[in-house]
Amino acid sequence: MHPAPRALRRAVAAATIALLATAVGCAPQPEDKASSGSAEKSCAKGKLATKTSGKLTIATDEPAYEPWFKDDKPANGKGFESAVAYAVAQQLGYDKSAVVWQSVPFNKAFAPGVKTFDFDINQVSISTERKKAVDFSSGYYDVRQAVIALKGSKAAEATSVADLKNLKLGAQVGTTSLDYITDVVKPKQQAAVYAKNDQAKSALKNGQVDAVVTDLPTAFYITAAEVPNAKIVGQFENQGGTPEQFGLVLDKGSALTSCVTGAVDALRKDGTLARVEKQWLSDAVDAPVLK
């Protein structure tokens, strides 16, 4: 007779499934709580896994240009990026005395390889290509690129991207400023590339280039304080509808990335970034848009 054994087998199977379900239901479920607790512990104020225990090492280029820094002294807390750096440090639990500044060339900051800093702040635009080599925090500043030319020059009369195509343009190596020249303007002459913005400014003064491209706040500072016989010709539209943003640079896969991003997000949310921007970049107002 087969009905009885079949019924017995069904009963045993049902009991087994019930027992497994009970076991699973009663078993510890550590994933969400554990990961949450781990994240909180790893971002504990002043106790991050930094390069030097108890210290936060922040890098930037030398010289440190205005309006991002004041008097070429990143440690004085003056200038937009210096102020942002210390605000992030405080958010992470490090006071000013616990911050150590380090000099790192702009292009080296986001090059492949292990970093000697906890994060770098140096007008580095977030990009997919750069993310292959380093981590970025969320953006701390939305930026546009601008064109500077000497007053009275042919370049100074440009009102469109097309007007720039016949000009000799210059920019700092490795920057999105240079990318805008090669990818947006696509000039007939090869762009002049400089290691530092100072060299680009000198080339403009000496007539070696018709115009240079920098981020907009830097353009306002250059024309107001450094090359007063120059003017801002205009600014470029953002490409692809997404604003270009500066981000803090970290080691690829850094344990600090989520903590630093959280700090930047908190500073944006509570209005700190907006206040610091108003204080140090108030001159970076609208400029004509080159289309």
Side-chain angles (χ1 to χ4, degrees):
M1 295 286 291
H2 297 292
R6 280 202 298 270
L8 181 59
R9 285 197 296 270
R10 289 195 197 99
V12 172
T16 301
I17 291 170
L19 284 170
L20 287 172
T22 302
V24 171
C26 295
Q29 303 297 313
E31 287 79 4
D32 291 341
K33 291 183 180 178
S35 62
S36 174
S38 175
E40 289 176 9
K41 185 177 180 181
S42 65
C43 293
K45 298 270 186 179
K47 297 180 180 179
L48 304 184
T50 54
K51 298 292 183 183
T52 301
S53 181
K55 300 287 185 180
L56 188 67
T57 303
I58 305 176
T60 196
D61 202 354
E62 186 179 3
Y65 297 108
E66 298 194 28
W68 311 106
F69 299 92
K70 188 77 173 172
D71 302 324
D72 192 19
K73 296 177 180 178
N76 64 14
K78 299 178 180 180
F80 178 73
E81 289 194 328
S82 181
V84 168
Y86 280 117
V88 170
Q90 185 175 21
Q91 192 72 28
L92 294 172
Y94 296 87
D95 61 24
K96 197 170 183 178
S97 64
V99 172
V100 177
W101 284 92
Q102 188 179 96
S103 176
V104 173
F106 175 81
N107 230 21
K108 189 176 179 181
F110 50 87
V114 177
K115 306 307 175 193
T116 55
F117 51 77
D118 292 312
F119 70 76
D120 178 278
I121 183 166
N122 190 23
Q123 307 112 65
V124 182
S125 295
I126 302 168
S127 73
T128 302
E129 186 63 28
R130 289 173 179 171
K131 281 183 176 180
K132 294 176 183 178
V134 295
D135 280 359
F136 281 97
S137 70
S138 52
Y140 62 86
Y141 180 68
D142 296 355
V143 66
R144 286 201 176 189
Q145 299 298 320
V147 180
I148 309 168
L150 296 180
K151 295 174 181 176
S153 66
K154 182 179 178 181
E157 299 173 2
T159 58
S160 68
V161 172
D163 292 339
L164 303 173
K165 289 187 180 295
N166 292 320
L167 303 178
K168 181 68 174 179
L169 305 175
Q172 184 177 344
V173 65
T175 60
T176 49
S177 302
L178 182 59
D179 291 341
Y180 267 76
I181 294 175
T182 56
D183 300 338
V184 178
V185 179
K186 299 177 182 177
K188 295 180 180 178
Q189 302 180 60
Q190 186 173 356
V193 183
Y194 303 96
K196 301 279 187 181
N197 258 335
D198 280 345
Q199 296 170 350
K201 287 180 289 186
S202 296
L204 180 64
K205 288 179 183 178
N206 298 332
Q208 295 169 307
V209 292
D210 298 310
V212 295
V213 179
T214 70
D215 59 78
L216 188 57
T218 297
F220 273 100
Y221 183 77
I222 289 173
T223 54
E226 298 182 316
V227 191
N229 63 327
K231 62 171 283 188
I232 295 176
V233 178
Q235 61 178 310
F236 293 104
E237 291 183 299
N238 285 319
Q239 300 301 300
T242 302
E244 177 186 347
Q245 291 186 314
F246 291 156
L248 305 177
V249 182
L250 301 96
D251 253 326
K252 186 67 177 174
S254 172
L256 303 185
T257 302
S258 61
C259 303
V260 173
T261 288
V264 172
D265 291 344
L267 294 172
R268 184 178 293 279
K269 185 176 181 180
D270 70 12
T272 299
L273 290 182
R275 289 194 296 273
V276 173
E277 181 178 334
K278 184 177 181 180
Q279 179 181 1
W280 296 106
L281 303 181
S282 58
D283 289 338
V285 295
D286 289 338
V289 177
L290 300 166
K291 296 184 177 180

